[in-house]
Amino acid sequence: KANFKRISLKGAEDFHNISIFRIAEAIKNLVEKEGPLHRDIAKRRISELFQVRLGSRISQKLDYAISYAVGNDLDMLGDFLWADGQKYAPLRVFKGNGEKRSVEHIPPEEIAFAIVECVQNAMSISEDDLVRETARLFGLRATKQVAGEVRSVIQSLFRINKLSRKNKKISL
């Protein structure tokens, strides 16, 4: 998790006086340290950095700053901000401390990495077990929503022949 020096502000009005460039630079630094990062998480982390409540006006200014950063220093795939030139999402396993991410805040590329790791470790595995083990890596239970996201990524890995199925078992 990136550590940023807190910025001394008096509130939202001071935040609105900060240039979009400066906020975009903070977003870029955050994404370079923690990316890929869901845009909502980036907005929350930057609002915490600047010590402002993430209301509609702050959110709108952060959206402008994200657009500026994406046009200059960052890439955006879906709702995820990527550092310029970043090709892979690291596998960030939940270790019981720190912030647990919800499944919609985990890039599909990272879920794919986790799926491949689980299959590699098991050699072959049923789809239900694969969903459960993948969710567990992120500190999540295999709820309907989590299972749906993981199964969607599993299907995409079948389409690109990264996974195969034989006798109801999935392997590489």
Side-chain angles (χ1 to χ4, degrees):
K1 189 172 184 179
N3 286 324
F4 291 104
K5 182 180 166 190
R6 291 231 179 240
I7 297 177
S8 179
L9 293 173
K10 292 179 184 157
E13 288 309 313
D14 281 348
F15 180 78
H16 286 294
N17 290 328
I18 296 173
S19 72
I20 292 291
F21 172 77
R22 184 167 172 212
I23 299 168
E25 191 68 26
I27 293 167
K28 175 188 169 215
N29 291 336
L30 175 66
V31 171
E32 285 176 347
K33 288 179 177 65
E34 296 185 22
L37 201 58
H38 192 280
R39 69 179 295 125
D40 291 343
I41 299 297
K43 287 167 65 171
R44 191 184 81 230
R45 298 268 290 120
I46 295 299
S47 69
E48 289 169 359
L49 169 70
F50 286 98
Q51 300 178 346
V52 293
R53 187 181 65 80
L54 187 57
S56 61
R57 287 180 56 214
I58 299 293
S59 182
Q60 184 178 34
K61 182 151 186 174
L62 288 169
D63 285 335
Y64 291 142
I66 288 171
S67 293
Y68 180 86
V70 168
N72 292 286
D73 301 309
L74 299 176
D75 295 322
M76 190 145 189
L77 293 170
D79 286 331
F80 293 91
L81 297 163
W82 291 68
D84 193 30
Q86 183 178 6
K87 299 204 183 314
Y88 303 99
L91 179 55
R92 295 168 281 194
V93 175
F94 181 72
K95 294 183 171 96
N97 55 357
E99 187 176 329
K100 189 185 295 187
R101 297 176 292 164
S102 60
V103 72
E104 62 269 8
H105 292 153
I106 303 171
E109 296 82 358
E110 187 174 355
I111 295 172
F113 192 172
I115 290 167
V116 169
E117 284 293 310
C118 288
V119 173
Q120 216 165 23
N121 290 336
M123 306 267 251
S124 75
I125 188 169
S126 73
E127 186 169 333
D128 288 341
D129 288 342
L130 179 55
V131 167
R132 198 171 18 266
E133 289 304 313
T134 302
R136 191 174 294 149
L137 281 178
F138 297 111
L140 302 172
R141 289 189 354 261
T143 63
K144 187 175 181 179
Q145 179 187 11
V146 170
E149 291 289 332
V150 172
R151 288 181 198 283
S152 173
V153 176
I154 289 170
Q155 292 309 310
S156 70
L157 291 171
F158 279 131
R159 281 192 296 278
I160 62 170
N161 296 318
K162 188 79 174 170
L163 296 178
S164 61
R165 185 186 318 256
K166 186 175 182 183
N167 299 329
K168 297 186 179 184
K169 294 287 188 171
I170 297 172
S171 61
L172 297 178

